């Protein structure tokens, strides 16, 4: 299981890549593994405002429906348009082609609440016990 | 997201086989069963085009024997078991006096005075108590669920695959007919039944013979495109075929008549539990009906979602999935009878969004005879 070092992680198993004031968000390798085969993805519209810890989208797998939570607050400036037609990208490449959206952060201090790669790996190891 | 494994889950005799095949598991009715081995679409399409092999050993088996066995089956089930000759099966229902469904099941006549009830795993305990409490004199009731394993070989090539392992003329066995035989040295009961909308077989064998039978069947069908298939594909297949699943389309508050199962409620029988209400329902029009839903925009209908028409609540979704064949959301649900018309445009409410859907009067796929 992968835990790329350049990302930050939420307890709800989203990852964040920070570039300037923009956060790219997706779900982690652990999340896609737990969800199983993903068959449907719902994303917000560009321009929508999202608040930290609020659901911004939905991922449905063969066995369950899960909300996806915003790890930071801000405005959606881009969504991955390839995803709705190819939800399997979330399984195949969660940190790459399976990215979900880009948020222009309104409060970059919120990043402090997220975990480092090392912390998240430990967090996942505890969940598995 | 929740994680963790429930250690109390029962395991099928094929658990090691599923592990070796790389299955992903899911807790189902107290059992840890294979959800899928590869993608659901691959397994689903294998069943529609060639064949799939399912482990359904979690199903319950209750055997009724003795001079009172037929009378007990007739008393408790809605279909007419008197019409069964030995080695024939029929779909039937156990109902409460209110007409609500305790379980749906297959009734097999094994011998002149021996009947096998194959029931849903989630209901085995409840069914067993109900049958024991209401068995008539001269009936022995036994739970054989831990002795029988059950493999379902389903798809257009299923009969050919079984025939390769036997000397019997499997193709001559009619739908709902059974044959007792030996497959690769293993005594089995093969019944031409299934739950996928395809031709196929359900093969009962003893618990300890199941792994060897599983291996032999997979090997026999490999070159024909046979794949092991899990509960996920079983669900998408049965939804396409509009076959009800207990806990979704059927429960103790649901009438089998509303579910379109009136054909399995035989009012020529002078008595069975639930007869008064069910036969009265059969003689009049009903408030709601089970229909197939086809979503015309992206989304997946799920159990409990509301169905609306022109802003009015007209029904509720009972099952749904993404159809591996169509690539769109499909489902089953109950709607007001007036709306149960082929082609009727409605909406399914998915997370406060209205997603357009079309009502289909017939299954999207069903080729069994």
């Amino acid at each position: 299981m992968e835990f790329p070092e350049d990302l930050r992680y939420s307890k709800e198993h989203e990852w964040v890549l920070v570039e300037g004031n923009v956060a790219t968000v997706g779900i982690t390798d652990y999340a896609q593994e737990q969800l199983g085969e993903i068959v449907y993805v719902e994303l917000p519209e560009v321009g929508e405002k999202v608040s930290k810890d609020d659901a911004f989208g939905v991922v449905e797998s063969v066995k369950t429906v899960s909300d996806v939570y915003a790890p930071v607050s801000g405005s959606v400036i881009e969504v991955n348009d390839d995803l709705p037609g190819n939800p399997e990208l979330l399984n195949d490449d969660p940190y790459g082609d399976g990215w979900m959206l880009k948020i222009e952060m309104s409060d970059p201090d919120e990043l402090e609440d997220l975990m480092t790669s090392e912390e998240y790996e430990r967090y996942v190891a505890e969940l598995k016990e | 997201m929740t994680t963790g494994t429930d250690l109390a889950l029962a395991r099928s005799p094929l658990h090691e086989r599923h592990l070796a095949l790389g299955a992903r598991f899911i807790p189902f009715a107290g059992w840890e069963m294979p959800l899928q081995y590869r993608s659901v679409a691959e397994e689903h399409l294998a069943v529609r085009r060639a064949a799939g092999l399912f482990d359904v050993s979690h199903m319950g088996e209750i055997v009724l024997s003795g001079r009172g066995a037929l009378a007990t089956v007739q008393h408790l089930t809605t279909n007419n078991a008197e019409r069964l000759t030995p080695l024939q099966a029929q779909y039937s229902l156990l109902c409460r006096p209110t007409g609500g469904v305790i379980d749906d099941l297959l009734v097999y006549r094994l011998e002149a005075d021996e009947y096998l009830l194959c029931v849903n795993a989630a209901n085995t305990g409840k069914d067993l108590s109900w049958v024991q409490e209401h068995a008539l004199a001269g009936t022995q009731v036994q739970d054989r669920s831990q002795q029988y394993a059950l493999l379902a070989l389903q798809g257009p090539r299923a009969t050919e695959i079984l025939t390769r392992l036997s000397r019997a003329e499997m193709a001559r066995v009619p739908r709902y007919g059974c044959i007792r035989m030996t497959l690769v040295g293993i005594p089995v009961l093969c019944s031409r039944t299934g739950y996928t909308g395809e031709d196929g077989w359900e093969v009962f064998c003893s618990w300890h013979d199941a792994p060897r039978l599983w291996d032999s069947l997979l090997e026999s069908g490999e070159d024909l495109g046979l794949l092991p298939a899990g509960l996920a594909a079983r669900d998408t297949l049965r939804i396409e075929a509009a076959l009800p699943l207990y806990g979704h389309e059927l429960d103790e508050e649901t009438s089998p008549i509303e579910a379109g199962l009136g054909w399995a409620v035989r009012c020529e029988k002078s008595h069975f539990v639930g007869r008064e209400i069910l036969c009265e329902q059969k003689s009049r029009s009903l408030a709601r009906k089970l229909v197939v839903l086809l979503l015309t925009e992206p989304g997946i209908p799920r159990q409990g979602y509301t169905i609306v028409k022109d802003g009015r609540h007209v029904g509720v979704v009972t099952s749904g999935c993404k159809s591996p064949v169509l690539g769109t959301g499909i489902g089953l649900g109950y709607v007001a009878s007036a709306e149960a018309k082929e082609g009727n445009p409605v909406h399914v409410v998915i997370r406060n969004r209205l997603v357009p859907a079309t009502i289909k009067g017939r299954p999207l796929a069903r080729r069994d005879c």
Side-chain angles (χ1 to χ4, degrees):
Chain A
M1 190 165 295
E2 288 182 56
F3 304 92
E5 285 184 7
D6 53 340
L7 306 181
R8 292 299 191 100
Y9 300 85
S10 75
K11 287 189 169 167
E12 300 291 345
H13 308 284
E14 288 85 25
W15 58 261
V16 177
L17 173 71
V18 182
E19 287 166 307
N21 201 32
V22 174
T24 304
V25 176
I27 63 168
T28 66
D29 199 9
Y30 174 79
Q32 70 79 20
E33 168 71 26
Q34 289 296 312
L35 286 163
E37 187 179 338
I38 294 164
V39 292
Y40 181 76
V41 182
E42 213 169 83
L43 297 172
E45 305 273 337
V46 169
E48 271 183 45
K49 296 260 186 288
V50 295
S51 299
K52 183 174 183 297
D53 298 332
D54 282 356
F56 71 72
V58 172
V59 171
E60 296 196 30
S61 71
V62 164
K63 59 179 182 183
T64 188
V65 182
S66 285
D67 285 327
V68 191
Y69 300 93
V72 290
S73 308
S75 306
V76 178
I77 54 166
E78 198 179 338
V79 298
N80 185 348
D81 291 326
D82 291 338
L83 269 189
N86 306 281
E88 67 281 1
L89 291 173
L90 284 172
N91 292 118
D92 298 342
D93 193 6
Y95 299 120
D97 291 343
W99 69 276
M100 298 181 81
L101 74 173
K102 295 185 182 190
I103 298 171
E104 190 172 62
M105 291 183 280
S106 55
D107 182 6
D109 288 348
E110 288 172 346
L111 290 170
E112 298 303 316
D113 297 339
L114 300 175
M115 289 177 270
T116 64
S117 159
E118 206 175 301
E119 286 165 340
Y120 179 65
E121 188 166 356
R122 225 177 301 135
Y123 175 69
V124 164
E126 279 165 23
L127 290 179
K128 282 180 169 176
E129 274 167 18
Chain B
M1 263 172 45
T2 51
T3 54
T5 325
D6 187 347
L7 295 176
L9 294 175
R11 285 177 172 180
S12 127
L14 295 165
H15 192 79
E16 297 298 320
R17 294 297 192 274
H18 303 321
L19 281 174
L21 286 163
R24 175 182 283 277
F25 291 89
I26 188 167
F28 181 80
W31 292 74
E32 186 177 19
M33 297 301 290
L35 178 70
Q36 60 190 118
Y37 305 85
R38 40 184 94 198
S39 83
V40 179
E42 269 180 280
E43 295 175 16
H44 179 110
L45 292 174
V47 175
R48 289 272 180 258
R49 292 169 185 168
L53 184 62
F54 301 82
D55 175 12
V56 286
S57 298
H58 56 303
M59 302 285 287
E61 289 91 5
I62 298 169
V63 172
L64 305 185
S65 56
R67 61 183 168 78
L70 174 59
T72 297
V73 173
Q74 289 289 70
H75 172 52
L76 294 178
T77 66
T78 59
N79 207 331
N80 191 355
E82 215 163 66
R83 296 167 9 144
L84 292 174
T85 58
L87 293 180
Q88 259 192 337
Q90 68 183 188
Y91 179 79
S92 195
L93 298 133
L94 291 175
C95 288
R96 299 237 175 238
T98 58
V101 180
I102 298 171
D103 204 359
D104 65 332
L105 71 163
L106 282 183
V107 175
Y108 293 84
R109 187 173 188 186
L110 299 179
E111 309 283 351
D113 56 1
E114 190 181 25
Y115 293 82
L116 167 68
L117 313 183
C118 186
V119 303
N120 282 299
N123 294 334
T124 305
K126 175 178 81 165
D127 295 351
L128 185 64
S129 306
W130 178 258
V131 172
Q132 280 168 337
E133 279 165 32
H134 297 86
L136 304 178
T139 313
Q140 286 82 53
V141 181
Q142 291 168 295
D143 178 12
R144 297 268 179 82
S145 306
Q146 295 294 321
Q147 279 105 64
Y148 281 118
L150 183 57
L151 308 187
L153 178 66
Q154 299 283 304
R157 309 305 284 271
T159 300
E160 186 181 346
I161 292 165
L162 262 192
T163 304
R164 285 176 169 187
L165 295 178
S166 73
R167 296 216 182 97
E169 288 189 65
M170 306 298 293
R172 295 181 60 174
V173 177
R175 187 85 186 146
Y176 286 97
C178 305
I179 180 168
R180 276 188 197 279
M181 56 199 280
T182 303
L183 284 178
V184 293
I186 298 168
V188 296
L189 173 70
C190 295
S191 119
R192 200 159 189 180
T193 51
Y195 190 54
T196 57
E198 293 297 325
D199 184 21
W201 296 81
E202 291 176 297
V203 185
F204 295 89
C205 68
S206 79
W207 200 257
H208 67 268
D209 284 333
R212 200 156 59 84
L213 184 61
W214 173 267
D215 294 343
S216 301
L217 287 170
L218 277 184
E219 198 186 312
S220 166
E222 197 179 4
D223 63 315
L224 296 178
L226 172 66
L227 290 182
L231 291 185
R234 192 168 160 83
D235 201 45
T236 55
L237 288 158
R238 70 102 193 159
I239 291 172
E240 275 191 359
L243 296 167
L245 174 63
Y246 198 88
H248 288 259
E249 287 70 39
L250 299 175
D251 58 33
E252 301 210 354
E253 273 70 56
T254 309
S255 151
I257 312 300
E258 295 172 331
L261 300 173
W263 56 273
V265 176
R266 306 299 299 204
C267 297
E268 80 268 13
K269 282 168 69 177
S270 57
H271 163 78
F272 58 85
V273 177
R275 184 181 185 280
E276 239 168 71
I277 286 180
L278 295 176
C279 293
E280 188 269 325
Q281 285 180 357
K282 270 185 96 165
S283 67
R284 62 175 164 88
S285 56
L286 292 164
R288 57 180 202 159
K289 272 188 187 165
L290 187 66
V291 294
V292 179
L293 296 161
L294 186 62
L295 267 56
T296 48
E297 283 179 21
I300 300 177
R302 302 276 182 181
Q303 185 168 29
Y305 289 4
T306 301
I307 303 167
V308 298
K309 170 90 181 178
D310 304 329
R312 287 175 300 116
H313 178 301
V314 295
V316 63
V317 174
T318 49
S319 294
C321 65
K322 179 171 167 180
S323 163
V325 175
L326 306 168
T328 55
I330 60 170
L332 302 176
Y334 284 102
V335 297
S337 296
E339 303 298 340
K341 295 176 300 231
E342 172 74 30
N344 186 17
V346 293
H347 287 92
V348 176
V349 184
I350 303 182
R351 296 178 285 275
N352 298 321
R353 198 162 50 87
L354 293 178
V355 180
T358 305
I359 286 178
K360 293 285 174 187
R362 297 168 55 81
L364 301 171
R366 193 187 276 187
R367 265 183 300 206
D368 49 0
C369 33

